[in-house]
Amino acid sequence: MRLTKKERDWVLYDVGNSAFVMLTATVIPIYFKNVAEGSGMSAADSTAYFSYASSLVTVIAAVLGPVLGAIADIRGFKKPVFACFMGVGVLGCALLGTPAGWLLFLGIYVIAKTGYQGSLTFYDSMLADVTTEDKVDQVSAHGYAWGYIGSCIPFVASILLILYAEPVGLGSAQAAALVFLFNALWWLLLTLPLLGSFEQVCYVEPKEHPVRESFGRLLRVMEDVWKNKRIFWFLAAFFFYIDGVYTIIDMATSYGKDVGISDTDLMLALLLTQVVAFPCSILFGSLAKRMESGRLIRLSILGYLGIVLFAFQMSHAWEFWFLAVCVAVFQGGIQALSRSYFTRIIPKEQAAEYFGFYDIFGKGAAFMGTLMLGAATQLSGTSRTGIGLLSILFLAGYVLFRRAERT
């Protein structure tokens, strides 16, 4: 499928921010666990504290998303609010390399990831502005697909810098600082085309008191979501199954390290995930032309249920590699099709408002999975317990999604 310039610029933002996503899945948790455990913290506690930090981010995003989404739907507001959150994320990413103890590092991480997640509320809603309804599945899939493969470039550069830091005369702290700075610049530069070309096509007209009016529209959207049972049950399903997906993305590296997988195997396996996810995301977008997207979403939920059950007993490096491939098959498809499915069932002129709720039930709801995993890990002394509990999220998501389809 041939993309227009606006569609390509929109896709490029996924390529840019995916560099930070890869850091949060690989380098950041490994770096944090090494710093925390170097200060005498146990492996279980470092995993738990990282889980709690991730939970805090999602709570903040959940609170801010709908309010800012309502404001961003006003004509001319969407791009500047998006740029503000993106700037916070980029700056936070760059500052992660500053010398700091484990607590300050977690604080900067929370700020950086809040900026990233906040920007996605507006980025996702831009989909309705940059493409047409007949192309929404394919464009959404291209965003995730090119994000996966594009993130490999800064990730490989980062890994090479870490591995060869000593031969070129760099200390580990200097290498980490350069990695975070390089990824922040990558994110910023690939956002510039979208900032230059984006035009807000779907909007509501500004009122005399735009902020007060935005809160009024927010309350009306809440009422509309409750009345429209198809949207309501979809968001309820999304709350559970995407929570499980994001928890796996956030915590896979920490869990792998806990069960004895080496740092090298962890990073290379997750690099493989990005490579395999590229064609699989495109494939899911193409399949959506021939098959009902709801059927593909159900298939992906069941796929993730199998992944969690297999991960519960994992103890060897080859098993982590196998799971990395399995995650790659479904990860892009379930995210892209959920986004395009939601875009179809909401009013286009209120996209940012509705995507604010989408983030509450999606990214904002992900605190439950990470919090559950962290608490279960500390109580039981092993992260296997928390991983096993994630199966409940996928089972609940599947049942509720079937309810949404029948509405």
Side-chain angles (χ1 to χ4, degrees):
M1 182 190 73
R2 188 176 182 83
L3 300 177
T4 65
K5 183 182 186 305
K6 289 183 179 180
E7 290 168 346
R8 288 197 302 271
D9 291 345
W10 183 83
V11 166
L12 274 178
Y13 183 69
D14 226 322
V15 179
N17 72 59
S18 290
F20 178 70
V21 175
M22 277 295 283
L23 288 183
T24 63
T26 55
V27 175
I28 289 175
I30 291 173
Y31 183 82
F32 169 71
K33 285 180 74 69
N34 289 338
V35 170
E37 290 169 20
S39 67
M41 188 182 297
S42 69
D45 282 343
S46 63
T47 296
Y49 288 133
F50 192 76
S51 298
Y52 298 149
S54 298
S55 298
L56 177 60
V57 171
T58 54
V59 171
I60 294 171
V63 172
L64 292 179
V67 176
L68 293 173
I71 295 173
D73 272 327
I74 300 171
R75 184 172 62 180
F77 275 62
K78 189 178 291 186
K79 183 161 69 173
V81 180
F82 161 76
C84 180
F85 272 90
M86 179 276 300
V88 169
V90 167
L91 181 61
C93 180
L95 291 176
L96 282 170
T98 56
W102 67 267
L103 185 58
L104 181 57
F105 180 86
L106 274 187
I108 297 173
Y109 168 71
V110 167
I111 293 171
K113 198 169 182 188
T114 297
Y116 158 73
Q117 289 203 343
S119 75
L120 291 187
T121 298
F122 312 107
Y123 171 67
D124 288 343
S125 71
M126 288 175 176
L127 184 59
D129 296 288
V130 301
T131 191
T132 56
E133 187 165 342
D134 62 312
K135 295 174 66 179
V136 69
D137 282 325
Q138 290 73 46
V139 174
S140 182
H142 271 273
Y144 280 108
W146 287 104
Y148 290 137
I149 199 68
S151 66
C152 293
I153 299 172
F155 181 68
V156 169
S158 300
I159 297 306
L160 290 175
L161 183 57
I162 292 170
L163 293 177
Y164 293 99
E166 289 188 13
V168 299
L170 291 174
S172 58
Q174 291 174 309
L178 287 174
V179 163
F180 292 127
L181 180 60
F182 172 67
N183 282 271
L185 289 173
W186 173 275
W187 184 358
L188 175 63
L189 292 175
L190 289 179
T191 307
L192 296 180
L194 178 60
L195 292 176
S197 68
F198 178 74
E199 296 178 5
Q200 190 173 348
V201 176
C202 305
Y203 55 81
V204 295
E205 291 291 345
K207 304 293 183 181
E208 185 178 354
H209 302 287
V211 175
R212 188 169 63 190
E213 171 63 20
S214 296
F215 277 97
R217 286 188 292 107
L218 180 60
L219 291 174
R220 289 194 292 273
V221 169
M222 292 174 66
E223 292 176 0
D224 291 342
V225 167
W226 175 254
K227 292 176 183 177
N228 189 322
K229 295 305 180 184
R230 185 182 182 191
I231 295 177
F232 175 80
W233 287 116
F234 169 76
L235 287 174
F238 189 65
F239 177 95
F240 286 100
Y241 73 73
I242 211 68
D243 187 3
V245 172
Y246 286 130
T247 301
I248 289 172
I249 292 172
D250 285 342
M251 303 306 301
T253 303
S254 293
Y255 177 66
K257 196 169 175 62
D258 284 350
V259 298
I261 312 300
S262 71
D263 290 355
T264 301
D265 274 321
L266 289 172
M267 288 189 287
L268 291 178
L270 290 169
L271 175 60
L272 176 64
T273 300
Q274 302 299 101
V275 174
V276 176
F278 171 70
C280 290
S281 297
I282 298 292
L283 175 62
F284 269 81
S286 298
L287 287 174
K289 294 179 181 178
R290 304 175 181 85
M291 297 172 60
E292 190 180 33
S293 59
R295 185 178 177 185
L296 293 171
I297 292 173
R298 294 199 309 272
L299 174 65
S300 299
I301 295 172
L302 293 176
Y304 265 102
L305 177 60
I307 287 167
V308 169
L309 295 176
F310 186 86
F312 180 76
Q313 57 80 52
M314 181 180 71
S315 58
H316 302 290
W318 73 265
E319 293 174 310
F320 191 84
W321 283 81
F322 173 73
L323 283 179
V325 173
C326 292
V327 168
V329 171
F330 298 108
Q331 182 171 292
I334 197 169
Q335 291 178 289
L337 293 177
S338 295
R339 179 168 63 188
S340 58
Y341 186 96
F342 190 67
T343 300
R344 280 200 178 90
I345 63 177
I346 62 173
K348 304 298 182 291
E349 70 278 3
Q350 296 173 274
E353 287 175 285
Y354 276 87
F355 269 101
F357 283 94
Y358 182 84
D359 280 351
I360 283 184
F361 286 85
K363 302 175 189 73
F367 78 92
M368 184 171 64
T370 51
L371 185 63
M372 183 170 65
L373 190 149
T377 297
Q378 282 196 308
L379 289 173
S380 67
T382 172
S383 50
R384 292 185 189 276
T385 306
I387 288 293
L389 288 176
L390 294 183
S391 60
I392 298 172
L393 301 179
F394 292 111
L395 286 169
Y398 184 87
V399 171
L400 291 170
F401 188 76
R402 291 293 290 166
R403 176 69 181 269
E405 288 187 301
R406 295 190 181 108
T407 302

